[in-house]
Amino acid sequence: MNSGREVSDGRLTVEGFSVAARAFADKWKIHNQSFPPWSWVPLINRTLHLSNQQEEGYLSLEEILILSSLEESPEDESLNVATDCLEKEESVDHTILVQNQENEAHYYDFHIVYSSSYKVPVLYFRGYCSGGQPLSLDVIKKDLPSCSVSLLHESKWTFITQEHPYLNRPWFKLHPCGTEDWIKLLSQSSISTGCQMPVDLYLVSWFSVVGQVVGLRIPLEMLN
Amino acid sequence: MSEKETSPAILQFAPLNSSVDEGFWHSFSSLKLDKLGIDDSPISITGFYGPCSHPQVSNHLTLLSESLPLDEQSSIASTSHGNRNKCPVPGILYNTNTLESFHKLDKQSLLKAEANKIWDDIQSGKALEDPAVLSRFLVISFADLKKWSFRYWFAFPALVLDPPASLVDLKPASAYFSSEEAESVSAACNEWRHSDLTTDVPFFLVSVSSDSKTSIRHLKDWEACQGDHHKLLFGFYDPCHLPNNPGWPLRNYLALIRSRWNLETVWFFCYRESRGFADLNLSLVGQASVTLASGESAPTVPNSVGWELNKGKRVPRSISLANSMDPTRLAVSAVDLNLKLMRWRALPSLDLNVLSSVKCLLLGAGTLGCQVARTLMGWGIRNITFVDYGKVAMSNPVRQSLYTFEDCVGRGEFKAVAAVKSLKQIFPAMESSGVVMAIPMPGHPISSQEEDSILADCKRLSDLIESHDAVFLLTDTRESRWLPSLLCANANKIAINAALGFDSYMVMRHGAGPTSLSDDMQNLDMNKTNKQRLGCYFCNDVVAPQDSMTDRTLDQQCTVTRPGLAPIAGALAVELLVGVLQHPLGINAKGDNSSLSNGGNNDDSPLGILPHQIRGSVSQFSQITLLGQASNSCTACSETVISEYRERGNSFILEAINHPTYLEDLTGLTELKKAANSFNLDWEDDDTDDEDVAVDM
């Protein structure tokens, strides 16, 4: 496989991924300022110390906020606990503002991780509410743009729960099967160099499709 | 209070709220399980917060996996220091080992102890060096590591000013500063926020000179700031977004200001951001008025408040993380994922729900039973019942894949019981039960004392068949398959039959029961209707299979078989069942022959063809599919027998068991045999085989 500057079979090497990731993050910062920037999280590989080993890592975009209308929150048993007696302490303190129930805030974290078995990037994500409780897929689907929910029903891109490869906790991910095929299609349609796609455009192209599924759009200028 | 005076309102602070990332609980659980054990001494932790970054949502004090004392195993670079949105704040965690001790914790004194620390830091000057200690916090928790649920309660100790501070004025910062000043303040703040050295310092001084130049200084530089300013404000990162209230950190800040510098009027600056930059519309500038302590010799610790409310109530919060931490649930979702992948990649029309809900009854827990059970599990089938009345013998574990040596030492475990235990060890979410029972058999007469218990067993078997969806006939004798075959035909349940010879095997699915056909069909000629049904195990005895390549009857008294057969036959039996379950016609699906298939039934069954019978041999390494129709004279599934059973019930059963020729007489087989024998008599002079064509019952 050529480790050169171009991708022709829809797939990416580990080094290519690092290059593509930085290019993607830079373009995003310039063109997509309505969102916070992606950051690169390096992985400290303590077992191998190869002298010229490229730094491995993943891209992270976290705490994207979506406000949703107040819903029935999952049954919180602690509310049913008989009044935990704090009688002796605080008498009513007038300096504390009494807060109303506001809109429920949902936070989303997105990670773009390289899959060495598929040799393509994979989007991992999770949702949680302000107290930290994870959101279930049903709740997340309500936050997604409606077109992507119906798209998910039909295609193979169902969200699946799998172990995040580095955090060792279940995250949702978009299944990568088929990625190399449609990347090939995208690269074939790129006018400039025939069937090749420059590595630093890989993630931009990839995300232009994948991001829409989770409601993250990239402006067209990024694709130039 | 007289109405003429407009006394300023009491300054009301918006409470700080907590947010605990799932990762914190994961890390804490590991810490508890690996290192702490039952040690419940308090743990120093670090919380993180930053200024508000959204006009409609406040920021929280967050706990992450990095909040716990450093874990050497982490492969992710620690991102907490110098991170602009994660100002570290010291805290303490009291985790109890039981729910009762959680409720018994003396919250008042715990809060007081932390408040004392803040007071001490103010008095000693430490708060000027490291102002983050002003936001020190406390958490009490109970981690239930069996149910993976966590109960917790935060407190953000705030020193109470007595009398309370009053608010003279509060407005957006953009309204307070001139436009020149605003620009300069923004720039200075952005610089402060951009530098790794200062970005996580949440309390600072904002000094604006008369020519609108702003400098931001550390609190400890307060002395140095005197004199050269036009405006001097006490700035802090305000997590709160509200336009009319400052956030909680201001409380201890005022206590510090009052105590160290004896100011009665305090101008404060609630710093808030949007999109990573200072937002002076969202940020607030206010003027507070505090009452100085009246000449006490030694300042005393004020009271403190700060337990976090949960939806307005004074109760702890709780979170259940069983879905992401409970190993059994993780195993379930991994297995489900595996099956889904099969569907996505290869069989989009695969119905996984029918597989996870089907209830299988396995009659026999020997070589075939064990193999069938394992393959069923591979297909995601969770509900398996074993019926077997034997015990695990010393020769069993090598061939019967659910048993181990432990099962046969001593008196030996009952197979039905050992099998259930084994399934649960393989996959904890299995719903499995075992019945230790012998299956009543025809041709083995019983005494009248045994009648009641035999009939009870028959009833039990009948109930088991009724309550399951598919029945596997995997016993080691021919006769023991009769009653189950009859009961399955009667109840129209899917029956899969597997039998082994020394080096050959037979796997088949029984056809639908005779009364499964609709009423109008029953008006037709019996022969015709029966031709619609596939045969059962006993139909074979009379109707020759269409392919007569194999004519050895499989006598199930043979317990010596080549070891490779049971896995092959058991696996085929399960694949046959899955084929039936996925077929739109289910038990009524027609039988296919592999020789006829040119794509065969592929429209109906994405899995491929659905044969009636499969016979194979390892002496030839060959396998064929066969098709056999139901027989009118079948002793197990014919209309005659089924209606007789329905009419006479127990007495029918007893007669079948006790009288060796009863069934043959009933179905007319006796007649048939006589006819066949009379034929043979004419041919005795010819050179014929001595092979007995008679049916072996």
Side-chain angles (χ1 to χ4, degrees), chain B residues 251-274:
Chain B
R251 297 197 73 145
N252 291 335
Y253 202 15
L254 286 178
L256 166 76
I257 295 167
R258 175 178 175 262
S259 169
R260 294 299 298 190
W261 298 311
N262 287 320
L263 296 176
E264 275 183 319
T265 299
V266 178
W267 284 94
F268 59 88
F269 173 48
C270 304
Y271 176 75
R272 301 156 179 192
E273 292 179 332
S274 70

PDB file of all heavy atoms in Angstrom, chain B residues 251-274:
ATOM      1  N   ARG B 251     -19.595  33.780  46.548  1.00  0.00           N
ATOM      2  CA  ARG B 251     -19.862  33.776  48.005  1.00  0.00           C
ATOM      3  C   ARG B 251     -18.567  33.787  48.810  1.00  0.00           C
ATOM      4  O   ARG B 251     -18.338  34.654  49.645  1.00  0.00           O
ATOM      5  CB  ARG B 251     -20.680  32.550  48.397  1.00  0.00           C
ATOM      6  CG  ARG B 251     -22.052  32.499  47.759  1.00  0.00           C
ATOM      7  CD  ARG B 251     -22.952  31.528  48.470  1.00  0.00           C
ATOM      8  NE  ARG B 251     -23.352  32.083  49.756  1.00  0.00           N
ATOM      9  CZ  ARG B 251     -24.546  31.895  50.318  1.00  0.00           C
ATOM     10  NH1 ARG B 251     -25.438  31.156  49.709  1.00  0.00           N
ATOM     11  NH2 ARG B 251     -24.818  32.412  51.490  1.00  0.00           N
ATOM     12  N   ASN B 252     -17.746  32.772  48.560  1.00  0.00           N
ATOM     13  CA  ASN B 252     -16.511  32.695  49.346  1.00  0.00           C
ATOM     14  C   ASN B 252     -15.543  33.795  48.944  1.00  0.00           C
ATOM     15  O   ASN B 252     -14.694  34.215  49.733  1.00  0.00           O
ATOM     16  CB  ASN B 252     -15.874  31.313  49.186  1.00  0.00           C
ATOM     17  CG  ASN B 252     -16.711  30.229  49.853  1.00  0.00           C
ATOM     18  OD1 ASN B 252     -17.466  30.501  50.786  1.00  0.00           O
ATOM     19  ND2 ASN B 252     -16.587  29.006  49.374  1.00  0.00           N
ATOM     20  N   TYR B 253     -15.722  34.245  47.694  1.00  0.00           N
ATOM     21  CA  TYR B 253     -14.890  35.359  47.225  1.00  0.00           C
ATOM     22  C   TYR B 253     -15.170  36.597  48.084  1.00  0.00           C
ATOM     23  O   TYR B 253     -14.258  37.294  48.533  1.00  0.00           O
ATOM     24  CB  TYR B 253     -15.245  35.612  45.759  1.00  0.00           C
ATOM     25  CG  TYR B 253     -14.211  36.335  44.934  1.00  0.00           C
ATOM     26  CD1 TYR B 253     -12.892  36.487  45.347  1.00  0.00           C
ATOM     27  CD2 TYR B 253     -14.575  36.861  43.701  1.00  0.00           C
ATOM     28  CE1 TYR B 253     -11.963  37.138  44.554  1.00  0.00           C
ATOM     29  CE2 TYR B 253     -13.655  37.509  42.895  1.00  0.00           C
ATOM     30  CZ  TYR B 253     -12.355  37.655  43.320  1.00  0.00           C
ATOM     31  OH  TYR B 253     -11.447  38.298  42.538  1.00  0.00           O
ATOM     32  N   LEU B 254     -16.447  36.875  48.317  1.00  0.00           N
ATOM     33  CA  LEU B 254     -16.803  38.024  49.151  1.00  0.00           C
ATOM     34  C   LEU B 254     -16.278  37.832  50.566  1.00  0.00           C
ATOM     35  O   LEU B 254     -15.807  38.788  51.197  1.00  0.00           O
ATOM     36  CB  LEU B 254     -18.322  38.221  49.179  1.00  0.00           C
ATOM     37  CG  LEU B 254     -18.957  38.806  47.920  1.00  0.00           C
ATOM     38  CD1 LEU B 254     -20.470  38.908  48.076  1.00  0.00           C
ATOM     39  CD2 LEU B 254     -18.366  40.187  47.620  1.00  0.00           C
ATOM     40  N   ALA B 255     -16.359  36.611  51.058  1.00  0.00           N
ATOM     41  CA  ALA B 255     -15.850  36.357  52.406  1.00  0.00           C
ATOM     42  C   ALA B 255     -14.359  36.657  52.472  1.00  0.00           C
ATOM     43  O   ALA B 255     -13.857  37.219  53.439  1.00  0.00           O
ATOM     44  CB  ALA B 255     -16.130  34.913  52.801  1.00  0.00           C
ATOM     45  N   LEU B 256     -13.656  36.262  51.416  1.00  0.00           N
ATOM     46  CA  LEU B 256     -12.212  36.527  51.355  1.00  0.00           C
ATOM     47  C   LEU B 256     -11.950  38.025  51.325  1.00  0.00           C
ATOM     48  O   LEU B 256     -11.137  38.558  52.097  1.00  0.00           O
ATOM     49  CB  LEU B 256     -11.622  35.871  50.094  1.00  0.00           C
ATOM     50  CG  LEU B 256     -10.212  36.343  49.723  1.00  0.00           C
ATOM     51  CD1 LEU B 256      -9.190  35.708  50.652  1.00  0.00           C
ATOM     52  CD2 LEU B 256      -9.887  36.021  48.281  1.00  0.00           C
ATOM     53  N   ILE B 257     -12.677  38.712  50.444  1.00  0.00           N
ATOM     54  CA  ILE B 257     -12.450  40.154  50.253  1.00  0.00           C
ATOM     55  C   ILE B 257     -12.723  40.897  51.548  1.00  0.00           C
ATOM     56  O   ILE B 257     -11.949  41.767  51.983  1.00  0.00           O
ATOM     57  CB  ILE B 257     -13.353  40.667  49.105  1.00  0.00           C
ATOM     58  CG1 ILE B 257     -12.924  40.019  47.784  1.00  0.00           C
ATOM     59  CG2 ILE B 257     -13.302  42.177  49.023  1.00  0.00           C
ATOM     60  CD1 ILE B 257     -13.920  40.212  46.667  1.00  0.00           C
ATOM     61  N   ARG B 258     -13.810  40.529  52.157  1.00  0.00           N
ATOM     62  CA  ARG B 258     -14.198  41.184  53.404  1.00  0.00           C
ATOM     63  C   ARG B 258     -13.153  40.964  54.485  1.00  0.00           C
ATOM     64  O   ARG B 258     -12.781  41.855  55.227  1.00  0.00           O
ATOM     65  CB  ARG B 258     -15.540  40.619  53.830  1.00  0.00           C
ATOM     66  CG  ARG B 258     -16.099  41.056  55.152  1.00  0.00           C
ATOM     67  CD  ARG B 258     -17.456  40.371  55.281  1.00  0.00           C
ATOM     68  NE  ARG B 258     -18.096  40.605  56.562  1.00  0.00           N
ATOM     69  CZ  ARG B 258     -18.065  39.754  57.591  1.00  0.00           C
ATOM     70  NH1 ARG B 258     -17.391  38.646  57.510  1.00  0.00           N
ATOM     71  NH2 ARG B 258     -18.700  40.050  58.712  1.00  0.00           N
ATOM     72  N   SER B 259     -12.682  39.720  54.550  1.00  0.00           N
ATOM     73  CA  SER B 259     -11.779  39.375  55.644  1.00  0.00           C
ATOM     74  C   SER B 259     -10.379  39.930  55.449  1.00  0.00           C
ATOM     75  O   SER B 259      -9.756  40.417  56.382  1.00  0.00           O
ATOM     76  CB  SER B 259     -11.747  37.851  55.738  1.00  0.00           C
ATOM     77  OG  SER B 259     -10.724  37.453  56.580  1.00  0.00           O
ATOM     78  N   ARG B 260      -9.868  39.847  54.205  1.00  0.00           N
ATOM     79  CA  ARG B 260      -8.485  40.266  53.989  1.00  0.00           C
ATOM     80  C   ARG B 260      -8.344  41.758  53.843  1.00  0.00           C
ATOM     81  O   ARG B 260      -7.366  42.340  54.262  1.00  0.00           O
ATOM     82  CB  ARG B 260      -7.929  39.624  52.691  1.00  0.00           C
ATOM     83  CG  ARG B 260      -7.771  38.143  52.686  1.00  0.00           C
ATOM     84  CD  ARG B 260      -6.845  37.645  53.713  1.00  0.00           C
ATOM     85  NE  ARG B 260      -5.490  38.139  53.540  1.00  0.00           N
ATOM     86  CZ  ARG B 260      -4.440  37.671  54.221  1.00  0.00           C
ATOM     87  NH1 ARG B 260      -4.603  36.720  55.097  1.00  0.00           N
ATOM     88  NH2 ARG B 260      -3.247  38.185  54.027  1.00  0.00           N
ATOM     89  N   TRP B 261      -9.299  42.394  53.133  1.00  0.00           N
ATOM     90  CA  TRP B 261      -9.083  43.778  52.755  1.00  0.00           C
ATOM     91  C   TRP B 261     -10.108  44.749  53.330  1.00  0.00           C
ATOM     92  O   TRP B 261     -10.071  45.927  53.031  1.00  0.00           O
ATOM     93  CB  TRP B 261      -9.084  43.864  51.212  1.00  0.00           C
ATOM     94  CG  TRP B 261      -7.964  43.055  50.622  1.00  0.00           C
ATOM     95  CD1 TRP B 261      -6.662  43.086  51.005  1.00  0.00           C
ATOM     96  CD2 TRP B 261      -8.054  42.078  49.588  1.00  0.00           C
ATOM     97  NE1 TRP B 261      -5.918  42.202  50.251  1.00  0.00           N
ATOM     98  CE2 TRP B 261      -6.760  41.566  49.361  1.00  0.00           C
ATOM     99  CE3 TRP B 261      -9.097  41.590  48.786  1.00  0.00           C
ATOM    100  CZ2 TRP B 261      -6.491  40.593  48.409  1.00  0.00           C
ATOM    101  CZ3 TRP B 261      -8.821  40.629  47.842  1.00  0.00           C
ATOM    102  CH2 TRP B 261      -7.517  40.135  47.656  1.00  0.00           C
ATOM    103  N   ASN B 262     -11.006  44.219  54.141  1.00  0.00           N
ATOM    104  CA  ASN B 262     -11.955  45.087  54.854  1.00  0.00           C
ATOM    105  C   ASN B 262     -12.673  46.078  53.965  1.00  0.00           C
ATOM    106  O   ASN B 262     -12.770  47.255  54.279  1.00  0.00           O
ATOM    107  CB  ASN B 262     -11.228  45.875  55.958  1.00  0.00           C
ATOM    108  CG  ASN B 262     -10.880  44.948  57.103  1.00  0.00           C
ATOM    109  OD1 ASN B 262     -11.665  44.092  57.472  1.00  0.00           O
ATOM    110  ND2 ASN B 262      -9.699  45.111  57.652  1.00  0.00           N
ATOM    111  N   LEU B 263     -13.147  45.635  52.844  1.00  0.00           N
ATOM    112  CA  LEU B 263     -13.868  46.541  51.950  1.00  0.00           C
ATOM    113  C   LEU B 263     -15.350  46.433  52.223  1.00  0.00           C
ATOM    114  O   LEU B 263     -15.883  45.350  52.402  1.00  0.00           O
ATOM    115  CB  LEU B 263     -13.608  46.153  50.483  1.00  0.00           C
ATOM    116  CG  LEU B 263     -12.168  46.297  50.020  1.00  0.00           C
ATOM    117  CD1 LEU B 263     -12.044  45.791  48.591  1.00  0.00           C
ATOM    118  CD2 LEU B 263     -11.729  47.758  50.107  1.00  0.00           C
ATOM    119  N   GLU B 264     -16.032  47.565  52.198  1.00  0.00           N
ATOM    120  CA  GLU B 264     -17.480  47.527  52.388  1.00  0.00           C
ATOM    121  C   GLU B 264     -18.208  47.483  51.063  1.00  0.00           C
ATOM    122  O   GLU B 264     -19.340  47.028  50.962  1.00  0.00           O
ATOM    123  CB  GLU B 264     -17.940  48.753  53.166  1.00  0.00           C
ATOM    124  CG  GLU B 264     -17.818  48.554  54.659  1.00  0.00           C
ATOM    125  CD  GLU B 264     -18.351  49.761  55.399  1.00  0.00           C
ATOM    126  OE1 GLU B 264     -18.065  50.885  54.941  1.00  0.00           O
ATOM    127  OE2 GLU B 264     -19.040  49.562  56.400  1.00  0.00           O
ATOM    128  N   THR B 265     -17.572  48.040  50.091  1.00  0.00           N
ATOM    129  CA  THR B 265     -18.177  48.041  48.766  1.00  0.00           C
ATOM    130  C   THR B 265     -17.294  47.219  47.859  1.00  0.00           C
ATOM    131  O   THR B 265     -16.083  47.444  47.781  1.00  0.00           O
ATOM    132  CB  THR B 265     -18.250  49.477  48.213  1.00  0.00           C
ATOM    133  OG1 THR B 265     -19.053  50.250  49.085  1.00  0.00           O
ATOM    134  CG2 THR B 265     -18.879  49.464  46.830  1.00  0.00           C
ATOM    135  N   VAL B 266     -17.897  46.285  47.206  1.00  0.00           N
ATOM    136  CA  VAL B 266     -17.117  45.400  46.341  1.00  0.00           C
ATOM    137  C   VAL B 266     -17.669  45.460  44.926  1.00  0.00           C
ATOM    138  O   VAL B 266     -18.859  45.191  44.703  1.00  0.00           O
ATOM    139  CB  VAL B 266     -17.188  43.939  46.843  1.00  0.00           C
ATOM    140  CG1 VAL B 266     -16.415  43.007  45.923  1.00  0.00           C
ATOM    141  CG2 VAL B 266     -16.671  43.843  48.275  1.00  0.00           C
ATOM    142  N   TRP B 267     -16.817  45.827  43.994  1.00  0.00           N
ATOM    143  CA  TRP B 267     -17.202  45.737  42.593  1.00  0.00           C
ATOM    144  C   TRP B 267     -16.717  44.397  42.076  1.00  0.00           C
ATOM    145  O   TRP B 267     -15.530  44.097  42.162  1.00  0.00           O
ATOM    146  CB  TRP B 267     -16.537  46.858  41.781  1.00  0.00           C
ATOM    147  CG  TRP B 267     -17.202  48.174  42.000  1.00  0.00           C
ATOM    148  CD1 TRP B 267     -16.844  49.129  42.906  1.00  0.00           C
ATOM    149  CD2 TRP B 267     -18.344  48.679  41.315  1.00  0.00           C
ATOM    150  NE1 TRP B 267     -17.671  50.210  42.838  1.00  0.00           N
ATOM    151  CE2 TRP B 267     -18.624  49.959  41.862  1.00  0.00           C
ATOM    152  CE3 TRP B 267     -19.164  48.204  40.282  1.00  0.00           C
ATOM    153  CZ2 TRP B 267     -19.678  50.730  41.416  1.00  0.00           C
ATOM    154  CZ3 TRP B 267     -20.212  48.994  39.859  1.00  0.00           C
ATOM    155  CH2 TRP B 267     -20.466  50.237  40.426  1.00  0.00           C
ATOM    156  N   PHE B 268     -17.645  43.605  41.560  1.00  0.00           N
ATOM    157  CA  PHE B 268     -17.247  42.279  41.081  1.00  0.00           C
ATOM    158  C   PHE B 268     -17.579  42.115  39.597  1.00  0.00           C
ATOM    159  O   PHE B 268     -18.435  42.818  39.056  1.00  0.00           O
ATOM    160  CB  PHE B 268     -17.901  41.163  41.909  1.00  0.00           C
ATOM    161  CG  PHE B 268     -19.410  41.177  41.908  1.00  0.00           C
ATOM    162  CD1 PHE B 268     -20.147  40.523  40.928  1.00  0.00           C
ATOM    163  CD2 PHE B 268     -20.094  41.840  42.934  1.00  0.00           C
ATOM    164  CE1 PHE B 268     -21.530  40.534  40.949  1.00  0.00           C
ATOM    165  CE2 PHE B 268     -21.479  41.836  42.957  1.00  0.00           C
ATOM    166  CZ  PHE B 268     -22.208  41.189  41.966  1.00  0.00           C
ATOM    167  N   PHE B 269     -16.865  41.215  38.981  1.00  0.00           N
ATOM    168  CA  PHE B 269     -16.964  41.000  37.540  1.00  0.00           C
ATOM    169  C   PHE B 269     -17.193  39.491  37.317  1.00  0.00           C
ATOM    170  O   PHE B 269     -16.304  38.673  37.546  1.00  0.00           O
ATOM    171  CB  PHE B 269     -15.664  41.469  36.877  1.00  0.00           C
ATOM    172  CG  PHE B 269     -15.558  41.161  35.409  1.00  0.00           C
ATOM    173  CD1 PHE B 269     -16.594  41.448  34.531  1.00  0.00           C
ATOM    174  CD2 PHE B 269     -14.385  40.609  34.894  1.00  0.00           C
ATOM    175  CE1 PHE B 269     -16.465  41.181  33.174  1.00  0.00           C
ATOM    176  CE2 PHE B 269     -14.245  40.349  33.532  1.00  0.00           C
ATOM    177  CZ  PHE B 269     -15.297  40.632  32.670  1.00  0.00           C
ATOM    178  N   CYS B 270     -18.436  39.150  36.886  1.00  0.00           N
ATOM    179  CA  CYS B 270     -18.753  37.737  36.607  1.00  0.00           C
ATOM    180  C   CYS B 270     -18.321  37.457  35.179  1.00  0.00           C
ATOM    181  O   CYS B 270     -19.004  37.848  34.227  1.00  0.00           O
ATOM    182  CB  CYS B 270     -20.255  37.498  36.706  1.00  0.00           C
ATOM    183  SG  CYS B 270     -20.958  37.968  38.287  1.00  0.00           S
ATOM    184  N   TYR B 271     -17.217  36.749  35.017  1.00  0.00           N
ATOM    185  CA  TYR B 271     -16.672  36.518  33.674  1.00  0.00           C
ATOM    186  C   TYR B 271     -17.345  35.321  33.015  1.00  0.00           C
ATOM    187  O   TYR B 271     -17.353  34.217  33.557  1.00  0.00           O
ATOM    188  CB  TYR B 271     -15.162  36.285  33.752  1.00  0.00           C
ATOM    189  CG  TYR B 271     -14.572  35.939  32.414  1.00  0.00           C
ATOM    190  CD1 TYR B 271     -14.386  36.910  31.436  1.00  0.00           C
ATOM    191  CD2 TYR B 271     -14.236  34.617  32.107  1.00  0.00           C
ATOM    192  CE1 TYR B 271     -13.869  36.594  30.197  1.00  0.00           C
ATOM    193  CE2 TYR B 271     -13.712  34.286  30.866  1.00  0.00           C
ATOM    194  CZ  TYR B 271     -13.525  35.279  29.918  1.00  0.00           C
ATOM    195  OH  TYR B 271     -13.014  34.963  28.692  1.00  0.00           O
ATOM    196  N   ARG B 272     -17.928  35.596  31.845  1.00  0.00           N
ATOM    197  CA  ARG B 272     -18.556  34.516  31.091  1.00  0.00           C
ATOM    198  C   ARG B 272     -18.106  34.625  29.653  1.00  0.00           C
ATOM    199  O   ARG B 272     -17.753  35.708  29.189  1.00  0.00           O
ATOM    200  CB  ARG B 272     -20.081  34.615  31.171  1.00  0.00           C
ATOM    201  CG  ARG B 272     -20.592  34.540  32.611  1.00  0.00           C
ATOM    202  CD  ARG B 272     -21.924  35.196  32.751  1.00  0.00           C
ATOM    203  NE  ARG B 272     -22.439  35.101  34.118  1.00  0.00           N
ATOM    204  CZ  ARG B 272     -23.691  35.390  34.433  1.00  0.00           C
ATOM    205  NH1 ARG B 272     -24.540  35.764  33.484  1.00  0.00           N
ATOM    206  NH2 ARG B 272     -24.079  35.307  35.697  1.00  0.00           N
ATOM    207  N   GLU B 273     -18.199  33.480  28.939  1.00  0.00           N
ATOM    208  CA  GLU B 273     -17.676  33.450  27.576  1.00  0.00           C
ATOM    209  C   GLU B 273     -18.727  32.964  26.596  1.00  0.00           C
ATOM    210  O   GLU B 273     -19.746  32.416  26.988  1.00  0.00           O
ATOM    211  CB  GLU B 273     -16.519  32.447  27.483  1.00  0.00           C
ATOM    212  CG  GLU B 273     -15.296  32.822  28.216  1.00  0.00           C
ATOM    213  CD  GLU B 273     -14.232  31.746  28.066  1.00  0.00           C
ATOM    214  OE1 GLU B 273     -14.572  30.561  27.881  1.00  0.00           O
ATOM    215  OE2 GLU B 273     -13.062  32.110  28.150  1.00  0.00           O
ATOM    216  N   SER B 274     -18.422  33.164  25.316  1.00  0.00           N
ATOM    217  CA  SER B 274     -19.123  32.365  24.324  1.00  0.00           C
ATOM    218  C   SER B 274     -18.156  32.096  23.186  1.00  0.00           C
ATOM    219  O   SER B 274     -17.371  32.957  22.810  1.00  0.00           O
ATOM    220  CB  SER B 274     -20.396  33.035  23.838  1.00  0.00           C
ATOM    221  OG  SER B 274     -20.089  34.149  23.060  1.00  0.00           O
TER     222      SER B 274
END
